Amino acid sequence: KLIISGKTLLTSEVNIHLYNIISQHKLSRKFNNQNSIELDISGCSKGIYVLRIQTENEIFFRRLVVP
């Protein structure tokens, strides 16, 4: 389970995309005005992933390591 939180999440629509290290799309979710976002990543194999978080005004990229 992965939990994402932040002030930006409260005021906008948020699109979450998860890609593996070779850019294969693994997950997409859309959320609106939430304090935190919970993603079930139990189906992901061990490895390194890139998390793309897009709000109305910003795009963030974070590296995620699944042990």
Side-chain angles (χ1 to χ4, degrees), residues 2 4 6 11-12 19 23 33 38 42 45-47 49 60-61:
L2 174 66
I4 304 166
T11 59
S12 63
Y19 301 90
S23 299
N33 303 323
E38 188 174 309
S42 61
S45 303
K46 294 179 183 181
Y49 293 84
F60 302 95
F61 293 92

Side-chain angles (χ1 to χ4, degrees), residues 11-22:
T11 59
S12 63
E13 179 180 285
V14 178
N15 292 296
I16 305 285
H17 300 278
L18 184 68
Y19 301 90
N20 65 13
I21 198 67
I22 56 173

Side-chain angles (χ1 to χ4, degrees), residues 46-57:
K46 294 179 183 181
I48 299 171
Y49 293 84
V50 174
L51 190 63
R52 181 178 188 261
I53 304 166
Q54 180 178 356
T55 68
E56 291 174 353
N57 301 319

